[in-house]
């Protein structure tokens, strides 16, 4: 009996990989029309983020910092590539196994898109296109490769070293499909860019607060000694959120609904908010995932409307406990209502940042900013819905994952110079860093060299208690060798930060920041 024809391993691998490229490209280009988040690749990535346990996500932030999303997408690409290879190799005798595997991946992408909160029903067209393109390409190339194998069982080479005609036909077909997939994917990317929110942001007129933030005095930082500048440029402002792809929300289509336990529901357009009394406030934001000495803290001048005033206008009913906010991509946040309503707190519905409309990655068109609370309970980006409710009625994204319900920022300090494990000349060493206790304010920072006494550092000028404060101190280090430098802060309430180390979960890290450096 004649043995059934079988694809060569290279043919099988090329078939699987090119089919993967076609599937991803088709899904991406259709997503440009029905919603960028409908791309199956991105939707599955977002689902992975949402299903990741808190401890693992915390590890990812600690390990990869703001590159955690790039690492995730890269890891997914590697996994998909391996699955494409497996699909091809398993299908050397027939297309059935690869078709089933591609179909399973297509269904997974469809489920991920279906569960997205920021796309409509038409979004399912993207995974459908991906499924059809993947299976169609796989079966087309498989049949072409099988025909070439049947016609040229020994894959003979021509005298000139060129592939046999059948093999050339397969390679040309596979190359044509791969090139088409590349053009399709690029077209989808360009279409997505043309329909995104960048043009909407560029068209926003200047935001002019009736009450600007006080000017920052020149001695508000010690940047020449190694601290950050007092105001963080927008491009350097840290970004930690669950959005795998920045939501594309245009100002002309954005609305904010304020409802729940209120006397009067409010629905505001972007122009409605801009027409209100805009104020500008200098605020430091800090991520709860910031380890002791970590970089996840920045300061900006935010422009917006007083959030407490909006709530008082709506009329908060007795018994309400939290402001439950929802982002355009479905992420949720619970903020203690008493903090938002506190007239001294200065909570904002922010539209601008450092003199310009919010950057897309920082929440354009609008976000929440509540001083003194970690971002996961106070800083919803791309906000579209505000519900006044109780803690029992609604449980926010991170609260469901065992983070603390209420999360005031802890009093902390950090050493920026000398850098850890750096080498300096023995003699006078100037140390500098930052300290923060948002909404409480920093009263004192102390530094200690090796096991010596604590010495009080010089502090920069106070700008606001809602922002960080810089410190610097000159130390005599007469002998060469390894040295240990430690810092601690005391806030205006009289509390000195604890030396006890605790992890970021469930409500922020504690401990003194300590570095080691060497003098020669």
């Amino acid at each position: 009996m004649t043995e059934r024809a079988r694809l060569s391993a290279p043919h099988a691998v090329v078939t699987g990989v090119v089919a993967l490229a076609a599937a991803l490209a088709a899904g991406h280009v259709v997503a440009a029309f029905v919603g960028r988040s409908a791309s199956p690749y991105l939707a599955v990535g977002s689902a992975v983020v949402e299903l990741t346990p808190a401890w693992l996500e915390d590890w990812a932030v600690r390990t990869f910092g703001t590159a955690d999303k790039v690492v995730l997408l890269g890891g997914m690409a590697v996994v998909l590539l391996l699955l494409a290879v497996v699909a091809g190799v398993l299908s050397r005798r027939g297309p059935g196994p690869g078709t089933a595997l591609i179909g399973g991946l297509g269904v997974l992408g469809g489920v991920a898109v279906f569960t997205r909160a920021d796309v409509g029903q038409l979004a399912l067209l993207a995974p459908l296109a991906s499924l059809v393109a993947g299976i169609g390409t796989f079966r087309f190339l498989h049949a072409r490769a099988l025909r070439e194998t049947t016609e040229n069982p020994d894959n003979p080479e021509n005298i000139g070293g060129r592939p046999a005609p059948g093999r050339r036909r397969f390679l040309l077909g596979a190359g044509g499909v791969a090139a088409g997939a590349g053009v399709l994917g690029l077209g989808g990317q360009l279409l997505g860019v043309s329909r995104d929110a960048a043009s909407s942001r560029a068209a926003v007129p200047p935001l002019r607060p009736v009450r600007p933030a006080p000017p920052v005095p020149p001695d508000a930082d010690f940047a020449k000694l190694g601290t950050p500048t007092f105001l963080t440029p927008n491009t350097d402002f840290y970004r930690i959120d669950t959005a795998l792809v920045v939501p594309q929300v245009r100002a002309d289509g954005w609305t904010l609904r304020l409802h729940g336990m209120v006397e009067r529901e409010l629905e505001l357009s972007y122009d409605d908010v801009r027409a209100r009394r805009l104020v500008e406030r200098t605020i430091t934001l800090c991520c709860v995932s910031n380890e002791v000495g970590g970089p996840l803290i920045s300061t900006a001048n935010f422009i917006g409307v007083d959030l407490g005033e909006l709530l008082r206008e709506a009329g908060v009913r007795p018994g309400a406990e939290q402001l439950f906010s929802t982002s355009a991509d479905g992420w949720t946040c619970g903020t203690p209502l008493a903090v938002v309503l506190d007239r001294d707190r200065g909570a904002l519905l922010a539209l601008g940042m450092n003199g310009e409309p919010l950057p897309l990655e920082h929440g354009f068109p609008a976000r929440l900013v509540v001083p003194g609370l970690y971002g996961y309970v106070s800083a919803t980006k791309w906000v579209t819905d505000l519900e006044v409710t109780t803690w029992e009625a609604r449980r926010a994204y991170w609260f469901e994952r065992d983070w603390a319900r209420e999360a005031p920022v802890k009093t902390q300090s950090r050493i920026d110079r000398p850098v850890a494990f750096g080498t300096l000349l023995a003699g006078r060493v100037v140390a500098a860093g930052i300290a923060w206790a948002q909404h409480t304010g920093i009263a004192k920072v102390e530094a200690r060299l090796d096991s010596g006494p604590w010495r009080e550092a010089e502090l920069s000028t106070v700008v606001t208690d809602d922002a960080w404060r810089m410190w610097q101190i000159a130390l005599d280090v007469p002998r060469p060798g390894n040295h240990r430098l430690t810092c601690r802060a005391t806030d205006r309430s009289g509390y000195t930060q604890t030396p006890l180390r605790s992890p970021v979960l469930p409500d922020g890290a504690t401990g003194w920041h300590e570095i080691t450096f060497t003098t020669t």
Side-chain angles (χ1 to χ4, degrees):
M1 186 171 69
T2 304
E3 184 179 357
R4 187 178 179 185
R6 186 173 72 165
L7 300 187
S8 69
H11 280 166
V13 169
V14 169
T15 297
V17 171
V18 174
L20 169 67
L24 293 178
H28 196 61
V29 75
V30 174
F33 293 96
V34 298
R36 193 176 180 187
S37 298
S39 170
Y41 180 61
L42 300 177
V44 170
S46 296
V48 170
V49 171
E50 291 175 4
L51 295 173
T52 299
W55 64 266
L56 183 56
E57 187 151 354
D58 174 52
W59 173 85
V61 171
R62 282 201 322 271
T63 305
F64 304 113
T66 55
D68 58 337
K69 297 175 179 64
V70 175
V71 172
L72 172 60
L73 290 174
M76 285 177 54
V78 171
V79 170
L80 285 175
L81 185 61
L82 291 175
L83 289 175
V85 171
V86 170
V89 171
L90 291 179
S91 303
R92 293 179 66 185
R93 293 191 181 278
T99 301
L101 182 54
I102 293 171
L105 291 174
V107 171
L108 178 63
V111 171
V113 171
F114 181 75
T115 57
R116 295 290 300 165
D118 56 339
V119 292
Q121 293 180 348
L122 285 178
L124 288 173
L125 292 175
L128 178 61
S130 187
L131 177 63
V132 171
I135 291 179
T137 301
F138 184 81
R139 296 187 73 91
F140 167 75
L141 291 179
H142 191 282
R144 196 176 186 110
L146 193 61
R147 185 166 58 250
E148 182 271 321
T149 301
T150 303
E151 293 174 358
N152 304 276
D154 297 323
N155 291 322
E157 301 291 332
N158 287 339
I159 294 176
R162 295 184 303 168
R167 180 181 292 182
R168 285 203 304 273
R169 286 195 298 271
F170 171 76
L171 291 176
L172 286 172
V177 173
V183 171
L184 196 64
L186 179 60
Q189 183 65 28
L190 293 176
L191 280 171
V193 169
S194 68
R195 298 163 63 90
D196 67 15
S199 59
S200 175
R201 179 180 182 270
V204 172
L207 300 170
R208 304 191 186 282
V210 297
R211 193 174 68 198
V216 177
D219 52 355
D221 63 49
F222 298 131
K224 292 182 179 180
L225 300 179
T227 72
T229 56
F230 183 80
L231 292 178
T232 308
N234 289 351
T235 53
D236 297 334
F237 206 97
Y238 83 89
R239 179 196 165 198
I240 296 290
D241 51 55
T242 63
L244 193 60
V245 177
V246 175
Q248 301 295 306
V249 185
R250 295 181 60 84
D252 50 14
W254 176 87
T255 57
L256 176 70
R257 182 186 177 210
L258 174 55
H259 62 107
M261 298 175 65
V262 295
E263 299 296 335
R264 297 166 295 280
E265 288 194 10
L266 300 179
E267 187 164 306
L268 304 170
S269 69
Y270 189 79
D271 287 340
D272 291 336
V273 178
R274 280 194 69 248
R276 287 173 172 258
R277 180 174 174 272
L278 298 180
V279 298
E280 185 177 41
R281 290 170 181 156
T282 306
I283 300 171
T284 292
L285 296 183
C286 182
C287 182
V288 72
S289 295
N290 202 35
E291 295 282 352
V292 172
L296 304 180
I297 181 169
S298 302
T299 299
N301 282 337
F302 289 97
I303 300 173
V305 298
D306 191 284
L307 187 55
E309 287 183 5
L310 281 181
L311 290 171
R312 282 185 283 273
E313 180 179 329
V316 177
R317 292 177 179 170
E321 298 171 313
Q322 71 161 324
L323 182 64
F324 188 85
S325 52
T326 303
S327 171
D329 64 350
W331 185 80
T332 57
C333 168
T335 308
L337 193 59
V339 174
V340 178
L341 290 172
D342 183 352
R343 295 179 185 274
D344 294 329
R345 180 70 63 157
L348 286 176
L349 172 64
L351 304 181
M353 182 174 173
N354 287 334
E356 59 186 63
L358 288 169
L360 301 188
E361 63 273 19
H362 291 293
F364 180 84
R367 67 172 296 170
L368 302 188
V369 179
V370 184
L373 300 179
Y374 284 120
Y376 81 98
V377 297
S378 70
T380 305
K381 302 174 185 175
W382 315 289
V383 62
T384 59
D385 189 272
L386 298 175
E387 180 182 357
V388 178
T389 184
T390 64
W391 294 116
E392 185 177 354
R394 300 284 260 159
R395 294 172 65 87
Y397 181 92
W398 285 114
F399 188 38
E400 287 279 6
R401 288 158 177 78
D402 298 325
W403 290 77
R405 189 179 70 183
E406 302 177 46
V409 173
K410 291 179 166 59
T411 299
Q412 287 283 17
S413 57
R414 184 183 80 190
I415 301 166
D416 288 293
R417 291 292 183 276
V419 296
F421 307 112
T423 300
L424 305 170
L425 292 175
R428 173 139 304 193
V429 172
V430 176
I434 62 174
W436 61 95
Q438 288 99 310
H439 200 63
T440 305
I442 291 294
K444 178 173 67 173
V445 173
E446 298 168 288
R448 180 174 67 186
L449 182 66
D450 299 323
S451 299
W454 288 102
R455 291 182 52 200
E456 189 167 344
E458 176 189 346
L459 295 178
S460 63
T461 297
V462 176
V463 177
T464 168
D465 286 341
D466 289 327
W468 56 16
R469 202 169 177 190
M470 315 315 190
W471 60 269
Q472 66 95 9
I473 188 170
L475 302 168
D476 290 321
V477 189
R479 62 176 179 82
N482 295 327
H483 300 279
R484 188 175 69 254
L485 179 64
T486 311
C487 69
R488 68 182 184 188
T490 300
D491 63 32
R492 289 184 180 272
S493 74
Y495 170 79
T496 299
Q497 67 180 102
T498 177
L500 298 177
R501 286 271 180 162
S502 66
V504 298
L505 187 65
D507 62 353
T510 65
W512 294 339
H513 188 208
E514 184 176 279
I515 67 161
T516 299
F517 65 97
T518 302
T519 54
T520 58

